[in-house]
Amino acid sequence: MADYKDTLNLPDTPFPMRGDLAKREPQWVKEWEEKGVYKRLRAIARAEGRPTFVLHDGPPYANGDIHIGTR
């Protein structure tokens, strides 16, 4: 069987072949916390006068919108 690796014109990138998100994401989050990325983004948004939004995230509710009786 022929090896076609040397015949392909593909760019050489620093990206790994595997995502390994479960291993790499904690490192990214730690780096972002150290750099204060979220705090800087919020400061920029406040300076521009953008409102703060709160997203109520949860499962789809089969019996309608969230209300006081929702458990």
PDB file of all heavy atoms in Angstrom, residues 19-52:
ATOM      1  N   GLY A  19      -8.888  16.706  20.212  1.00  0.00           N
ATOM      2  CA  GLY A  19      -9.354  17.864  20.959  1.00  0.00           C
ATOM      3  C   GLY A  19      -8.983  17.798  22.423  1.00  0.00           C
ATOM      4  O   GLY A  19      -8.524  18.760  23.005  1.00  0.00           O
ATOM      5  N   ASP A  20      -9.169  16.630  23.041  1.00  0.00           N
ATOM      6  CA  ASP A  20      -8.905  16.440  24.478  1.00  0.00           C
ATOM      7  C   ASP A  20      -9.506  17.563  25.317  1.00  0.00           C
ATOM      8  O   ASP A  20      -8.870  18.096  26.227  1.00  0.00           O
ATOM      9  CB  ASP A  20      -7.407  16.334  24.758  1.00  0.00           C
ATOM     10  CG  ASP A  20      -6.841  14.990  24.348  1.00  0.00           C
ATOM     11  OD1 ASP A  20      -7.612  14.022  24.301  1.00  0.00           O
ATOM     12  OD2 ASP A  20      -5.626  14.922  24.077  1.00  0.00           O
ATOM     13  N   LEU A  21     -10.735  17.941  24.997  1.00  0.00           N
ATOM     14  CA  LEU A  21     -11.376  19.064  25.666  1.00  0.00           C
ATOM     15  C   LEU A  21     -11.465  18.854  27.173  1.00  0.00           C
ATOM     16  O   LEU A  21     -11.239  19.788  27.942  1.00  0.00           O
ATOM     17  CB  LEU A  21     -12.766  19.304  25.081  1.00  0.00           C
ATOM     18  CG  LEU A  21     -13.488  20.543  25.575  1.00  0.00           C
ATOM     19  CD1 LEU A  21     -12.682  21.791  25.261  1.00  0.00           C
ATOM     20  CD2 LEU A  21     -14.862  20.629  24.959  1.00  0.00           C
ATOM     21  N   ALA A  22     -11.756  17.654  27.591  1.00  0.00           N
ATOM     22  CA  ALA A  22     -11.888  17.392  29.031  1.00  0.00           C
ATOM     23  C   ALA A  22     -10.580  17.656  29.769  1.00  0.00           C
ATOM     24  O   ALA A  22     -10.583  18.037  30.937  1.00  0.00           O
ATOM     25  CB  ALA A  22     -12.340  15.955  29.264  1.00  0.00           C
ATOM     26  N   LYS A  23      -9.453  17.495  29.100  1.00  0.00           N
ATOM     27  CA  LYS A  23      -8.158  17.739  29.729  1.00  0.00           C
ATOM     28  C   LYS A  23      -7.705  19.189  29.549  1.00  0.00           C
ATOM     29  O   LYS A  23      -7.071  19.753  30.415  1.00  0.00           O
ATOM     30  CB  LYS A  23      -7.097  16.822  29.114  1.00  0.00           C
ATOM     31  CG  LYS A  23      -7.307  15.362  29.425  1.00  0.00           C
ATOM     32  CD  LYS A  23      -6.236  14.528  28.777  1.00  0.00           C
ATOM     33  CE  LYS A  23      -6.478  13.049  29.008  1.00  0.00           C
ATOM     34  NZ  LYS A  23      -5.511  12.219  28.292  1.00  0.00           N
ATOM     35  N   ARG A  24      -8.014  19.786  28.401  1.00  0.00           N
ATOM     36  CA  ARG A  24      -7.490  21.109  28.079  1.00  0.00           C
ATOM     37  C   ARG A  24      -8.348  22.257  28.607  1.00  0.00           C
ATOM     38  O   ARG A  24      -7.817  23.319  28.919  1.00  0.00           O
ATOM     39  CB  ARG A  24      -7.323  21.233  26.571  1.00  0.00           C
ATOM     40  CG  ARG A  24      -6.292  20.241  26.034  1.00  0.00           C
ATOM     41  CD  ARG A  24      -6.188  20.238  24.553  1.00  0.00           C
ATOM     42  NE  ARG A  24      -5.794  21.547  24.072  1.00  0.00           N
ATOM     43  CZ  ARG A  24      -5.988  21.953  22.836  1.00  0.00           C
ATOM     44  NH1 ARG A  24      -6.561  21.162  21.964  1.00  0.00           N
ATOM     45  NH2 ARG A  24      -5.609  23.152  22.449  1.00  0.00           N
ATOM     46  N   GLU A  25      -9.663  22.058  28.708  1.00  0.00           N
ATOM     47  CA  GLU A  25     -10.526  23.149  29.138  1.00  0.00           C
ATOM     48  C   GLU A  25     -10.193  23.663  30.536  1.00  0.00           C
ATOM     49  O   GLU A  25     -10.158  24.883  30.746  1.00  0.00           O
ATOM     50  CB  GLU A  25     -11.997  22.753  29.055  1.00  0.00           C
ATOM     51  CG  GLU A  25     -12.912  23.903  29.367  1.00  0.00           C
ATOM     52  CD  GLU A  25     -14.380  23.563  29.221  1.00  0.00           C
ATOM     53  OE1 GLU A  25     -14.716  22.369  29.122  1.00  0.00           O
ATOM     54  OE2 GLU A  25     -15.189  24.495  29.224  1.00  0.00           O
ATOM     55  N   PRO A  26      -9.929  22.804  31.528  1.00  0.00           N
ATOM     56  CA  PRO A  26      -9.569  23.336  32.850  1.00  0.00           C
ATOM     57  C   PRO A  26      -8.336  24.244  32.808  1.00  0.00           C
ATOM     58  O   PRO A  26      -8.260  25.231  33.537  1.00  0.00           O
ATOM     59  CB  PRO A  26      -9.304  22.084  33.687  1.00  0.00           C
ATOM     60  CG  PRO A  26     -10.104  21.016  33.027  1.00  0.00           C
ATOM     61  CD  PRO A  26     -10.065  21.339  31.560  1.00  0.00           C
ATOM     62  N   GLN A  27      -7.384  23.946  31.931  1.00  0.00           N
ATOM     63  CA  GLN A  27      -6.204  24.802  31.785  1.00  0.00           C
ATOM     64  C   GLN A  27      -6.598  26.161  31.219  1.00  0.00           C
ATOM     65  O   GLN A  27      -6.095  27.202  31.656  1.00  0.00           O
ATOM     66  CB  GLN A  27      -5.178  24.136  30.872  1.00  0.00           C
ATOM     67  CG  GLN A  27      -4.621  22.853  31.424  1.00  0.00           C
ATOM     68  CD  GLN A  27      -3.825  22.074  30.389  1.00  0.00           C
ATOM     69  OE1 GLN A  27      -3.824  22.405  29.206  1.00  0.00           O
ATOM     70  NE2 GLN A  27      -3.160  21.018  30.833  1.00  0.00           N
ATOM     71  N   TRP A  28      -7.487  26.169  30.240  1.00  0.00           N
ATOM     72  CA  TRP A  28      -7.948  27.434  29.647  1.00  0.00           C
ATOM     73  C   TRP A  28      -8.673  28.273  30.689  1.00  0.00           C
ATOM     74  O   TRP A  28      -8.433  29.474  30.787  1.00  0.00           O
ATOM     75  CB  TRP A  28      -8.875  27.184  28.475  1.00  0.00           C
ATOM     76  CG  TRP A  28      -8.255  26.534  27.286  1.00  0.00           C
ATOM     77  CD1 TRP A  28      -6.929  26.539  26.937  1.00  0.00           C
ATOM     78  CD2 TRP A  28      -8.919  25.774  26.290  1.00  0.00           C
ATOM     79  NE1 TRP A  28      -6.739  25.825  25.788  1.00  0.00           N
ATOM     80  CE2 TRP A  28      -7.956  25.344  25.365  1.00  0.00           C
ATOM     81  CE3 TRP A  28     -10.237  25.400  26.090  1.00  0.00           C
ATOM     82  CZ2 TRP A  28      -8.267  24.581  24.256  1.00  0.00           C
ATOM     83  CZ3 TRP A  28     -10.537  24.648  24.978  1.00  0.00           C
ATOM     84  CH2 TRP A  28      -9.570  24.242  24.079  1.00  0.00           C
ATOM     85  N   VAL A  29      -9.558  27.641  31.443  1.00  0.00           N
ATOM     86  CA  VAL A  29     -10.332  28.375  32.456  1.00  0.00           C
ATOM     87  C   VAL A  29      -9.394  28.977  33.496  1.00  0.00           C
ATOM     88  O   VAL A  29      -9.550  30.136  33.889  1.00  0.00           O
ATOM     89  CB  VAL A  29     -11.392  27.466  33.107  1.00  0.00           C
ATOM     90  CG1 VAL A  29     -12.047  28.139  34.295  1.00  0.00           C
ATOM     91  CG2 VAL A  29     -12.432  27.050  32.073  1.00  0.00           C
ATOM     92  N   LYS A  30      -8.403  28.211  33.928  1.00  0.00           N
ATOM     93  CA  LYS A  30      -7.441  28.713  34.905  1.00  0.00           C
ATOM     94  C   LYS A  30      -6.691  29.927  34.341  1.00  0.00           C
ATOM     95  O   LYS A  30      -6.529  30.944  35.014  1.00  0.00           O
ATOM     96  CB  LYS A  30      -6.448  27.615  35.273  1.00  0.00           C
ATOM     97  CG  LYS A  30      -5.427  28.032  36.296  1.00  0.00           C
ATOM     98  CD  LYS A  30      -4.484  26.896  36.623  1.00  0.00           C
ATOM     99  CE  LYS A  30      -3.412  27.379  37.584  1.00  0.00           C
ATOM    100  NZ  LYS A  30      -2.372  26.381  37.774  1.00  0.00           N
ATOM    101  N   GLU A  31      -6.269  29.834  33.096  1.00  0.00           N
ATOM    102  CA  GLU A  31      -5.560  30.940  32.451  1.00  0.00           C
ATOM    103  C   GLU A  31      -6.457  32.182  32.336  1.00  0.00           C
ATOM    104  O   GLU A  31      -6.018  33.302  32.597  1.00  0.00           O
ATOM    105  CB  GLU A  31      -5.088  30.501  31.070  1.00  0.00           C
ATOM    106  CG  GLU A  31      -4.279  31.542  30.329  1.00  0.00           C
ATOM    107  CD  GLU A  31      -3.812  31.049  28.977  1.00  0.00           C
ATOM    108  OE1 GLU A  31      -3.582  29.836  28.825  1.00  0.00           O
ATOM    109  OE2 GLU A  31      -3.696  31.880  28.067  1.00  0.00           O
ATOM    110  N   TRP A  32      -7.710  31.980  31.953  1.00  0.00           N
ATOM    111  CA  TRP A  32      -8.640  33.104  31.834  1.00  0.00           C
ATOM    112  C   TRP A  32      -8.878  33.762  33.190  1.00  0.00           C
ATOM    113  O   TRP A  32      -8.984  34.980  33.275  1.00  0.00           O
ATOM    114  CB  TRP A  32      -9.969  32.644  31.247  1.00  0.00           C
ATOM    115  CG  TRP A  32      -9.873  32.148  29.836  1.00  0.00           C
ATOM    116  CD1 TRP A  32      -8.916  32.439  28.908  1.00  0.00           C
ATOM    117  CD2 TRP A  32     -10.767  31.244  29.194  1.00  0.00           C
ATOM    118  NE1 TRP A  32      -9.163  31.785  27.733  1.00  0.00           N
ATOM    119  CE2 TRP A  32     -10.299  31.039  27.877  1.00  0.00           C
ATOM    120  CE3 TRP A  32     -11.913  30.585  29.600  1.00  0.00           C
ATOM    121  CZ2 TRP A  32     -10.948  30.205  26.971  1.00  0.00           C
ATOM    122  CZ3 TRP A  32     -12.556  29.758  28.693  1.00  0.00           C
ATOM    123  CH2 TRP A  32     -12.079  29.576  27.397  1.00  0.00           C
ATOM    124  N   GLU A  33      -8.974  32.939  34.253  1.00  0.00           N
ATOM    125  CA  GLU A  33      -9.164  33.487  35.600  1.00  0.00           C
ATOM    126  C   GLU A  33      -7.942  34.291  36.039  1.00  0.00           C
ATOM    127  O   GLU A  33      -8.069  35.357  36.635  1.00  0.00           O
ATOM    128  CB  GLU A  33      -9.460  32.372  36.600  1.00  0.00           C
ATOM    129  CG  GLU A  33     -10.846  31.792  36.453  1.00  0.00           C
ATOM    130  CD  GLU A  33     -11.104  30.600  37.353  1.00  0.00           C
ATOM    131  OE1 GLU A  33     -10.140  30.066  37.963  1.00  0.00           O
ATOM    132  OE2 GLU A  33     -12.270  30.193  37.450  1.00  0.00           O
ATOM    133  N   GLU A  34      -6.744  33.779  35.731  1.00  0.00           N
ATOM    134  CA  GLU A  34      -5.512  34.479  36.095  1.00  0.00           C
ATOM    135  C   GLU A  34      -5.408  35.819  35.368  1.00  0.00           C
ATOM    136  O   GLU A  34      -4.948  36.807  35.936  1.00  0.00           O
ATOM    137  CB  GLU A  34      -4.290  33.621  35.773  1.00  0.00           C
ATOM    138  CG  GLU A  34      -4.128  32.426  36.688  1.00  0.00           C
ATOM    139  CD  GLU A  34      -3.045  31.466  36.222  1.00  0.00           C
ATOM    140  OE1 GLU A  34      -2.465  31.676  35.133  1.00  0.00           O
ATOM    141  OE2 GLU A  34      -2.785  30.484  36.946  1.00  0.00           O
ATOM    142  N   LYS A  35      -5.827  35.852  34.114  1.00  0.00           N
ATOM    143  CA  LYS A  35      -5.751  37.077  33.313  1.00  0.00           C
ATOM    144  C   LYS A  35      -6.926  38.014  33.571  1.00  0.00           C
ATOM    145  O   LYS A  35      -6.891  39.165  33.137  1.00  0.00           O
ATOM    146  CB  LYS A  35      -5.718  36.733  31.822  1.00  0.00           C
ATOM    147  CG  LYS A  35      -4.447  36.061  31.378  1.00  0.00           C
ATOM    148  CD  LYS A  35      -4.488  35.793  29.890  1.00  0.00           C
ATOM    149  CE  LYS A  35      -3.195  35.170  29.400  1.00  0.00           C
ATOM    150  NZ  LYS A  35      -3.241  34.933  27.954  1.00  0.00           N
ATOM    151  N   GLY A  36      -7.965  37.521  34.247  1.00  0.00           N
ATOM    152  CA  GLY A  36      -9.132  38.342  34.528  1.00  0.00           C
ATOM    153  C   GLY A  36      -9.927  38.677  33.274  1.00  0.00           C
ATOM    154  O   GLY A  36     -10.456  39.784  33.151  1.00  0.00           O
ATOM    155  N   VAL A  37     -10.016  37.747  32.354  1.00  0.00           N
ATOM    156  CA  VAL A  37     -10.680  37.982  31.070  1.00  0.00           C
ATOM    157  C   VAL A  37     -12.139  38.384  31.262  1.00  0.00           C
ATOM    158  O   VAL A  37     -12.590  39.391  30.696  1.00  0.00           O
ATOM    159  CB  VAL A  37     -10.580  36.729  30.169  1.00  0.00           C
ATOM    160  CG1 VAL A  37     -11.405  36.890  28.906  1.00  0.00           C
ATOM    161  CG2 VAL A  37      -9.132  36.445  29.820  1.00  0.00           C
ATOM    162  N   TYR A  38     -12.885  37.649  32.090  1.00  0.00           N
ATOM    163  CA  TYR A  38     -14.306  37.952  32.269  1.00  0.00           C
ATOM    164  C   TYR A  38     -14.495  39.327  32.911  1.00  0.00           C
ATOM    165  O   TYR A  38     -15.350  40.104  32.482  1.00  0.00           O
ATOM    166  CB  TYR A  38     -14.991  36.874  33.107  1.00  0.00           C
ATOM    167  CG  TYR A  38     -16.458  37.130  33.295  1.00  0.00           C
ATOM    168  CD1 TYR A  38     -17.352  36.955  32.247  1.00  0.00           C
ATOM    169  CD2 TYR A  38     -16.956  37.580  34.507  1.00  0.00           C
ATOM    170  CE1 TYR A  38     -18.705  37.206  32.401  1.00  0.00           C
ATOM    171  CE2 TYR A  38     -18.298  37.832  34.677  1.00  0.00           C
ATOM    172  CZ  TYR A  38     -19.171  37.638  33.620  1.00  0.00           C
ATOM    173  OH  TYR A  38     -20.513  37.896  33.781  1.00  0.00           O
ATOM    174  N   LYS A  39     -13.677  39.646  33.902  1.00  0.00           N
ATOM    175  CA  LYS A  39     -13.787  40.946  34.568  1.00  0.00           C
ATOM    176  C   LYS A  39     -13.519  42.083  33.584  1.00  0.00           C
ATOM    177  O   LYS A  39     -14.192  43.110  33.605  1.00  0.00           O
ATOM    178  CB  LYS A  39     -12.814  41.031  35.741  1.00  0.00           C
ATOM    179  CG  LYS A  39     -13.221  40.177  36.919  1.00  0.00           C
ATOM    180  CD  LYS A  39     -12.232  40.304  38.048  1.00  0.00           C
ATOM    181  CE  LYS A  39     -12.632  39.390  39.186  1.00  0.00           C
ATOM    182  NZ  LYS A  39     -11.688  39.436  40.300  1.00  0.00           N
ATOM    183  N   ARG A  40     -12.534  41.895  32.718  1.00  0.00           N
ATOM    184  CA  ARG A  40     -12.234  42.936  31.722  1.00  0.00           C
ATOM    185  C   ARG A  40     -13.376  43.087  30.737  1.00  0.00           C
ATOM    186  O   ARG A  40     -13.739  44.213  30.365  1.00  0.00           O
ATOM    187  CB  ARG A  40     -10.937  42.611  30.995  1.00  0.00           C
ATOM    188  CG  ARG A  40      -9.723  42.785  31.877  1.00  0.00           C
ATOM    189  CD  ARG A  40      -8.394  42.783  31.153  1.00  0.00           C
ATOM    190  NE  ARG A  40      -8.378  42.206  29.838  1.00  0.00           N
ATOM    191  CZ  ARG A  40      -7.557  41.236  29.453  1.00  0.00           C
ATOM    192  NH1 ARG A  40      -6.716  40.714  30.306  1.00  0.00           N
ATOM    193  NH2 ARG A  40      -7.586  40.781  28.229  1.00  0.00           N
ATOM    194  N   LEU A  41     -13.954  41.976  30.290  1.00  0.00           N
ATOM    195  CA  LEU A  41     -15.081  42.041  29.354  1.00  0.00           C
ATOM    196  C   LEU A  41     -16.276  42.745  29.995  1.00  0.00           C
ATOM    197  O   LEU A  41     -16.950  43.556  29.350  1.00  0.00           O
ATOM    198  CB  LEU A  41     -15.480  40.641  28.893  1.00  0.00           C
ATOM    199  CG  LEU A  41     -14.511  39.946  27.950  1.00  0.00           C
ATOM    200  CD1 LEU A  41     -14.948  38.502  27.716  1.00  0.00           C
ATOM    201  CD2 LEU A  41     -14.417  40.685  26.633  1.00  0.00           C
ATOM    202  N   ARG A  42     -16.548  42.433  31.259  1.00  0.00           N
ATOM    203  CA  ARG A  42     -17.671  43.091  31.956  1.00  0.00           C
ATOM    204  C   ARG A  42     -17.395  44.588  32.121  1.00  0.00           C
ATOM    205  O   ARG A  42     -18.293  45.412  31.989  1.00  0.00           O
ATOM    206  CB  ARG A  42     -17.915  42.449  33.325  1.00  0.00           C
ATOM    207  CG  ARG A  42     -18.515  41.065  33.276  1.00  0.00           C
ATOM    208  CD  ARG A  42     -19.841  40.997  32.525  1.00  0.00           C
ATOM    209  NE  ARG A  42     -20.754  42.033  32.957  1.00  0.00           N
ATOM    210  CZ  ARG A  42     -21.591  42.684  32.152  1.00  0.00           C
ATOM    211  NH1 ARG A  42     -21.639  42.417  30.876  1.00  0.00           N
ATOM    212  NH2 ARG A  42     -22.379  43.614  32.634  1.00  0.00           N
ATOM    213  N   ALA A  43     -16.160  44.958  32.424  1.00  0.00           N
ATOM    214  CA  ALA A  43     -15.809  46.369  32.583  1.00  0.00           C
ATOM    215  C   ALA A  43     -16.014  47.122  31.263  1.00  0.00           C
ATOM    216  O   ALA A  43     -16.532  48.241  31.258  1.00  0.00           O
ATOM    217  CB  ALA A  43     -14.368  46.513  33.062  1.00  0.00           C
ATOM    218  N   ILE A  44     -15.642  46.519  30.170  1.00  0.00           N
ATOM    219  CA  ILE A  44     -15.831  47.140  28.854  1.00  0.00           C
ATOM    220  C   ILE A  44     -17.317  47.308  28.573  1.00  0.00           C
ATOM    221  O   ILE A  44     -17.758  48.363  28.111  1.00  0.00           O
ATOM    222  CB  ILE A  44     -15.155  46.294  27.749  1.00  0.00           C
ATOM    223  CG1 ILE A  44     -13.639  46.359  27.896  1.00  0.00           C
ATOM    224  CG2 ILE A  44     -15.585  46.760  26.372  1.00  0.00           C
ATOM    225  CD1 ILE A  44     -12.897  45.341  27.046  1.00  0.00           C
ATOM    226  N   ALA A  45     -18.107  46.285  28.867  1.00  0.00           N
ATOM    227  CA  ALA A  45     -19.550  46.348  28.612  1.00  0.00           C
ATOM    228  C   ALA A  45     -20.201  47.448  29.452  1.00  0.00           C
ATOM    229  O   ALA A  45     -21.057  48.186  28.966  1.00  0.00           O
ATOM    230  CB  ALA A  45     -20.199  45.000  28.904  1.00  0.00           C
ATOM    231  N   ARG A  46     -19.803  47.555  30.733  1.00  0.00           N
ATOM    232  CA  ARG A  46     -20.352  48.608  31.598  1.00  0.00           C
ATOM    233  C   ARG A  46     -19.963  49.985  31.084  1.00  0.00           C
ATOM    234  O   ARG A  46     -20.765  50.917  31.082  1.00  0.00           O
ATOM    235  CB  ARG A  46     -19.879  48.421  33.036  1.00  0.00           C
ATOM    236  CG  ARG A  46     -20.667  47.375  33.806  1.00  0.00           C
ATOM    237  CD  ARG A  46     -20.353  47.430  35.299  1.00  0.00           C
ATOM    238  NE  ARG A  46     -18.950  47.151  35.596  1.00  0.00           N
ATOM    239  CZ  ARG A  46     -18.444  45.931  35.749  1.00  0.00           C
ATOM    240  NH1 ARG A  46     -19.222  44.882  35.653  1.00  0.00           N
ATOM    241  NH2 ARG A  46     -17.171  45.751  36.024  1.00  0.00           N
ATOM    242  N   ALA A  47     -18.707  50.121  30.624  1.00  0.00           N
ATOM    243  CA  ALA A  47     -18.237  51.408  30.117  1.00  0.00           C
ATOM    244  C   ALA A  47     -19.017  51.830  28.876  1.00  0.00           C
ATOM    245  O   ALA A  47     -19.224  53.010  28.641  1.00  0.00           O
ATOM    246  CB  ALA A  47     -16.741  51.339  29.805  1.00  0.00           C
ATOM    247  N   GLU A  48     -19.444  50.859  28.095  1.00  0.00           N
ATOM    248  CA  GLU A  48     -20.225  51.153  26.891  1.00  0.00           C
ATOM    249  C   GLU A  48     -21.708  51.312  27.194  1.00  0.00           C
ATOM    250  O   GLU A  48     -22.490  51.597  26.306  1.00  0.00           O
ATOM    251  CB  GLU A  48     -20.029  50.046  25.850  1.00  0.00           C
ATOM    252  CG  GLU A  48     -18.614  49.988  25.296  1.00  0.00           C
ATOM    253  CD  GLU A  48     -18.415  48.846  24.323  1.00  0.00           C
ATOM    254  OE1 GLU A  48     -19.359  48.065  24.097  1.00  0.00           O
ATOM    255  OE2 GLU A  48     -17.305  48.743  23.778  1.00  0.00           O
ATOM    256  N   GLY A  49     -22.092  51.069  28.452  1.00  0.00           N
ATOM    257  CA  GLY A  49     -23.483  51.238  28.854  1.00  0.00           C
ATOM    258  C   GLY A  49     -24.402  50.093  28.460  1.00  0.00           C
ATOM    259  O   GLY A  49     -25.619  50.252  28.452  1.00  0.00           O
ATOM    260  N   ARG A  50     -23.820  48.950  28.173  1.00  0.00           N
ATOM    261  CA  ARG A  50     -24.656  47.803  27.820  1.00  0.00           C
ATOM    262  C   ARG A  50     -25.309  47.217  29.067  1.00  0.00           C
ATOM    263  O   ARG A  50     -24.668  47.123  30.112  1.00  0.00           O
ATOM    264  CB  ARG A  50     -23.827  46.727  27.117  1.00  0.00           C
ATOM    265  CG  ARG A  50     -23.446  47.136  25.701  1.00  0.00           C
ATOM    266  CD  ARG A  50     -22.815  45.994  24.968  1.00  0.00           C
ATOM    267  NE  ARG A  50     -21.390  45.986  25.295  1.00  0.00           N
ATOM    268  CZ  ARG A  50     -20.602  44.943  25.084  1.00  0.00           C
ATOM    269  NH1 ARG A  50     -21.069  43.827  24.590  1.00  0.00           N
ATOM    270  NH2 ARG A  50     -19.327  45.010  25.387  1.00  0.00           N
ATOM    271  N   PRO A  51     -26.563  46.790  28.974  1.00  0.00           N
ATOM    272  CA  PRO A  51     -27.237  46.225  30.142  1.00  0.00           C
ATOM    273  C   PRO A  51     -26.725  44.813  30.462  1.00  0.00           C
ATOM    274  O   PRO A  51     -26.176  44.126  29.606  1.00  0.00           O
ATOM    275  CB  PRO A  51     -28.707  46.167  29.720  1.00  0.00           C
ATOM    276  CG  PRO A  51     -28.658  46.063  28.235  1.00  0.00           C
ATOM    277  CD  PRO A  51     -27.453  46.856  27.811  1.00  0.00           C
ATOM    278  N   THR A  52     -26.922  44.417  31.713  1.00  0.00           N
ATOM    279  CA  THR A  52     -26.566  43.067  32.144  1.00  0.00           C
ATOM    280  C   THR A  52     -27.765  42.159  31.928  1.00  0.00           C
ATOM    281  O   THR A  52     -28.890  42.516  32.287  1.00  0.00           O
ATOM    282  CB  THR A  52     -26.193  43.059  33.632  1.00  0.00           C
ATOM    283  OG1 THR A  52     -25.099  43.951  33.820  1.00  0.00           O
ATOM    284  CG2 THR A  52     -25.795  41.678  34.101  1.00  0.00           C
TER     285      THR A  52
END
